[in-house]
């Protein structure tokens, strides 16, 4: 895990200011509304807490990440840090959280379905999962592919998600809500122009 943490630390430093950059800030109100207040929240892949800190008001938040340096910054914000690899079983008790956040995470995983199983395990009944993935099939990505380039320019992205793929991944959850956020021209055609897909689903 140390090697993986160091790799992500370097990736964050080189590309996203050590993880401080929130790529699509329009996710924040969607996440806060879905979670509410008075909840015990787990943020998976929290990095340095740039997104996670917006969930602290009225909630108890655990931030999990593989990057130890980023977690130090998250802890300074009042987030309870937990270093772990999300592709391994989560070192957490069953039914111990009211909400789990997976923002810009599933696209980085070899086996996202395994993590969804772990999320279901640590969520309490009727607990909520909120998250986001890049809208991988938007026009910009399709044009990159036509030009012979990878649709995604982030080398840590292993998966590409469409709305149908998100629905399939979260088939074991209920009350799934999907929407599009981000992008200057999103309102013209959300499916083709939005940067991100955001979702909310409930554990049965």
């Amino acid at each position: 895990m140390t090697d993986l943490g160091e790799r992500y630390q370097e990736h964050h430093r080189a590309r996203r200011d050590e993880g401080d950059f929130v790529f699509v800030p329009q996710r924040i109100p969607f996440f806060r509304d879905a979670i509410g207040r008075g909840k015990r929240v787990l943020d998976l892949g929290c990095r340095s807490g740039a997104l996670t800190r917006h969930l602290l008001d009225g909630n108890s938040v655990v931030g999990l990440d593989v990057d130890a340096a980023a977690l130090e910054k998250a802890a300074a914000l009042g987030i309870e840090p937990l270093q772990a690899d999300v592709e391994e079983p989560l070192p957490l008790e069953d039914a111990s959280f009211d909400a789990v956040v997976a923002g810009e995470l599933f696209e980085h995983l070899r086996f996202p379905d395994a993590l969804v199983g772990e999320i279901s395990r640590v969520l309490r009944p009727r607990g909520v999962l909120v998250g986001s993935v890049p809208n991988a099939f938007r026009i910009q990505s399709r044009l990159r592919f036509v030009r012979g380039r990878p649709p995604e320019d982030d080398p840590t992205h292993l998966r590409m998600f469409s709305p149908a793929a998100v629905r399939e991944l979260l088939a074991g959850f209920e009350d799934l809500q999907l929407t599009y956020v981000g992008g200057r021209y999103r309102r013209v055609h959300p499916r083709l122009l939005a940067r991100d897909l955001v979702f909310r689903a409930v554990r049965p």
Side-chain angles (χ1 to χ4, degrees):
M1 184 174 70
T2 300
D3 181 60
L4 181 62
E6 290 173 352
R7 286 177 180 268
Y8 267 99
Q9 183 178 341
E10 179 58 32
H11 172 71
H12 294 156
R13 181 182 297 112
R15 295 176 63 90
R16 297 190 179 179
D17 190 22
E18 298 187 29
D20 287 340
F21 179 61
V22 179
F23 188 61
V24 183
Q26 292 91 342
R27 293 177 296 162
I28 294 168
F30 181 92
F31 286 9
R32 284 195 304 213
D33 289 348
I35 293 168
R37 294 166 59 90
K39 305 294 175 59
R40 180 164 168 77
V41 180
L42 172 65
D43 189 0
L44 298 172
C46 74
R47 301 207 301 246
S48 57
L51 171 65
T52 319
R53 63 189 175 91
H54 296 283
L55 311 175
L56 282 168
D57 186 21
N59 295 311
S60 170
V61 182
V62 174
L64 184 151
D65 203 280
V66 73
D67 183 342
L71 282 174
E72 289 182 7
K73 300 173 75 173
L77 298 174
I79 298 159
E80 181 183 339
L82 175 61
Q83 187 179 13
D85 182 353
V86 295
E87 298 231 58
E88 300 292 336
L90 300 178
L92 297 162
E93 295 182 1
D94 295 357
S96 52
F97 289 90
D98 302 298
V100 173
V101 179
E104 308 297 286
L105 178 63
F106 289 136
E107 68 273 15
H108 296 274
L109 305 182
R110 293 170 296 166
F111 304 108
D113 55 324
L115 179 58
V116 170
E118 281 292 280
I119 289 170
S120 182
R121 179 182 67 80
V122 302
L123 272 175
R124 294 170 179 143
R126 306 311 297 172
V128 64
L129 165 63
V130 295
S132 62
V133 291
N135 182 19
F137 296 93
R138 63 193 181 112
I139 284 290
Q140 292 92 327
S141 297
R142 297 183 190 201
L143 291 176
R144 286 174 60 88
F145 183 78
V146 168
R147 294 170 183 153
R149 301 170 63 190
E152 294 281 343
D153 64 356
D154 188 329
T156 67
H157 286 191
L158 306 179
R159 300 273 182 161
M160 297 192 301
F161 284 95
S162 64
V166 173
R167 291 188 184 96
E168 182 178 358
L169 180 64
L170 303 182
F173 283 71
E174 298 178 349
D175 303 327
L176 176 63
Q177 298 176 10
L178 275 172
T179 191
Y180 297 90
V181 299
R184 182 179 302 177
Y185 303 109
R186 176 187 60 83
R187 294 181 181 178
V188 176
H189 198 303
R191 183 173 62 85
L192 292 179
L193 297 172
R195 288 183 179 272
D196 259 16
L197 284 166
V198 295
F199 53 84
R200 172 192 182 278
V202 176
R203 180 193 183 280

